[in-house]
Amino acid sequence: MRSKQKKSKPSAERVVKDIRRANRKQYSAEEKIRIVLEGLRGDDSIAELCRREGIAQGVYYKWSKDFMEAGKRQPCW
């Protein structure tokens, strides 16, 4: 007789994580630039901008840093 291997069910936490990952919005480069420029404009606070756009502040600052680094690499003609 073969012993049956039990397939363990994924935990509820794992299922929720997988669903959130699948539903996560993917922002295009143009959307990221628009959001960063809007933050640099300073009309609203970064916290308000992030709430409105549905992103974490850490994500905004990462995009902002990447945006500034890209600007440093481009030669000014």
Side-chain angles (χ1 to χ4, degrees), residues 29-56:
E30 290 80 14
E31 289 175 308
K32 291 177 184 181
I33 292 169
R34 177 188 57 78
I35 293 169
V36 168
L37 289 175
E38 197 170 322
L40 292 173
R41 204 172 305 122
D43 294 339
D44 293 324
S45 69
I46 300 302
E48 176 60 32
L49 172 65
C50 291
R51 258 192 308 276
R52 189 173 58 241
E53 295 294 337
I55 61 172

